[in-house]
Amino acid sequence: MAIILGIESSCDETSASVCIDGKVINNEIANQTIHEQYGGVVPELASREHQRNIVPVVEHVLSHADINVNDLDGIAYTRGPGLLGALLIGSSFSKAMAASLGIPLIPIHHMKAHVLAHFIDDPKPSYPFICLTVSGGHTQILRINNPTEMIILGQTQDDAVGEAFDKAAKLLGLPYPGGPMIDKLAMSGNPNRFQFAESEMPELDYSFSGIKTSILYFLRKELKKNEQFIKENLNDLAASIQKTLLSMLMKKLILAASQEKIKQIAIAGGVSANSGLRQQLNEEALKRGWEVFIPDFQYCTDNAGMIAISGHLLFEQDAFGSLADSPLPRMPF
Ligand code: KG4
Ligand code: ZN
């Protein structure tokens, strides 16, 4: 039985959440819109925004949960991976607060937290299960044996799939982050209109850097013939790009499930908000007898709810950190 405050600040969302006895009470997210005009996250601006947001966001979740700071039993925060300056704000704030309250710190791995977000709401998966984690920085197929034992079965050797969505969107002239825009446009597009080559990788690994180049060359060729090509075919382009990326993701996921003989399949990370991916997963579930776990939208992209629930699970195992823990932008898995 514990009350945990969770804090997430690895990229461009400042988020806090309170978890009481394993139940995530609230999840407040301050999104930073300042980066849109630059077509990507500007690290220094992200740090300054975190600094501005963190106190009001934490105050808000505590008062909303009707919790006094003295009721807290521990503070969980994202130690990495992420942007160093952004991580520093969350970790310094958490350390100062934990030290002044005399309560333990629980450092959290951001990507593992994406997976553990499945323990916020019912139905929850039972161990072992497979999780496809798909975000702006990672693409991994994991076998989850318990909250601390996660085995990488396969992963991208270059770009993450979220990055591929974002770079493709940029080529189409869409604002950052492009993934949600492609998803929306694809809903009313023809996915079979254009063909893009899928990269082949051995075993359960992925490669997403080639697709961006093939989209670039294709667009250059078409734009020479018709300057309005992108504008006139935007929905079909988005649908065709999304189809290619999802097909690559699903093939390896199906292979992993059959190799591991596991039928409990989860998805996590920002790209798990993608409606096409959710639909394909449900279709495969019917075909293959899988039980699939798809997080609520608010727990797909970066949020502190997943940090708070991870803090709860690790608190039970006394997995505490110390004031000497520095943020790890490239935190090993
Ligand atoms: O997990 P996340 O919020 O941040 C990282 O830890 O990277 O993931 C962000 C990524 C971005 O690349 C964004 O474009 C992508 O998730 N994303 C989507 C969708 N929503 C977010 N990609 C495709 N379809 C979506 N609906
Ligand atoms: Zn993330």
Side-chain angles (χ1 to χ4, degrees):
M1 292 293 173
I3 303 181
I4 309 290
L5 172 67
I7 291 177
E8 154 67 28
S9 72
S10 65
C11 191
D12 60 342
E13 273 97 12
T14 321
S15 180
S17 170
V18 174
C19 177
I20 302 180
D21 300 335
K23 201 169 166 15
V24 172
I25 302 296
N26 51 23
N27 180 43
E28 170 87 7
I29 303 174
N31 281 305
Q32 302 181 1
T33 49
I34 191 163
H35 307 286
E36 277 168 17
Q37 55 189 301
Y38 301 102
V41 177
V42 184
E44 182 55 32
L45 293 179
S47 312
R48 290 185 204 176
E49 288 290 296
H50 284 306
Q51 203 166 15
R52 230 190 310 272
N53 292 337
I54 198 154
V55 171
V57 166
V58 168
E59 275 178 345
H60 186 264
V61 290
L62 290 175
S63 78
H64 180 258
D66 211 7
I67 293 290
N68 185 286
V69 281
N70 295 309
D71 298 332
L72 291 173
D73 294 299
I75 301 181
Y77 70 96
T78 306
R79 187 176 180 197
L83 301 169
L84 178 59
L87 292 167
L88 265 170
I89 305 292
S91 67
S92 309
F93 179 90
S94 303
K95 286 178 190 175
M97 193 165 170
S100 67
L101 294 169
I103 56 175
L105 280 163
I106 312 155
I108 304 291
H109 190 292
H110 179 89
M111 292 312 297
K112 291 185 177 174
H114 270 301
V115 176
L116 297 175
H118 286 286
F119 294 88
I120 295 177
D121 288 328
D122 285 326
K124 301 179 175 86
S126 50
Y127 302 106
F129 65 96
I130 284 187
C131 188
L132 173 70
T133 41
V134 277
S135 76
H138 292 78
T139 304
Q140 296 174 322
I141 302 178
L142 305 170
R143 179 192 164 106
I144 317 298
N145 289 337
N146 60 53
T148 51
E149 196 185 323
M150 302 189 185
I151 297 161
I152 301 174
L153 301 174
Q155 61 187 332
T156 182
Q157 297 301 317
D158 42 57
D159 289 357
V161 66
E163 217 175 330
F165 267 102
D166 295 337
K167 286 179 178 171
K170 202 168 175 181
L171 293 173
L172 298 180
L174 302 170
Y176 177 88
M181 298 286 290
I182 294 213
D183 188 4
K184 212 165 138 211
L185 291 164
M187 283 174 193
S188 42
N190 175 1
N192 300 316
R193 176 88 187 283
F194 306 110
Q195 312 299 325
F196 300 104
E198 293 181 23
S199 312
E200 299 287 341
M201 289 295 281
E203 322 234 333
L204 296 173
D205 284 340
Y206 290 113
S207 165
F208 289 103
S209 63
I211 181 148
K212 153 196 84 194
T213 320
S214 78
I215 296 167
L216 175 69
Y217 289 154
F218 172 76
L219 290 176
R220 268 196 200 151
K221 196 177 75 197
E222 295 299 326
L223 285 168
K224 260 190 207 152
K225 293 186 254 169
N226 171 12
E227 277 181 10
Q228 301 299 313
F229 179 77
I230 293 179
K231 216 169 135 202
E232 287 169 8
N233 297 286
L234 195 54
N235 293 81
D236 291 347
L237 281 166
S240 303
I241 291 168
Q242 177 164 304
K243 181 194 156 202
T244 314
L245 293 173
L246 297 188
S247 158
M248 288 164 73
L249 285 178
M250 292 304 296
K251 277 182 193 155
K252 297 290 170 100
L253 180 61
I254 291 165
L255 187 59
S258 81
Q259 279 181 7
E260 295 294 311
K261 299 187 177 55
I262 291 178
K263 285 183 183 286
Q264 289 206 91
I265 312 290
I267 50 170
V271 181
S272 61
N274 185 272
S275 53
L277 179 59
R278 289 166 168 245
Q279 190 188 336
Q280 286 197 20
L281 207 61
N282 283 323
E283 284 167 11
E284 291 301 328
L286 281 178
K287 236 191 283 176
R288 297 172 194 278
W290 287 354
E291 193 183 349
V292 296
F293 300 88
I294 302 176
D296 196 67
F297 272 112
Q298 63 168 321
Y299 298 125
C300 285
T301 43
D302 292 347
N303 68 89
M306 68 185 195
I307 305 299
I309 193 74
S310 303
H312 165 80
L313 295 167
L314 297 188
F315 186 89
E316 288 178 337
Q317 304 193 3
D318 293 343
F320 302 137
S322 82
L323 292 177
D325 295 333
S326 50
L328 297 173
R330 293 174 179 272
M331 189 168 180
F333 195 77

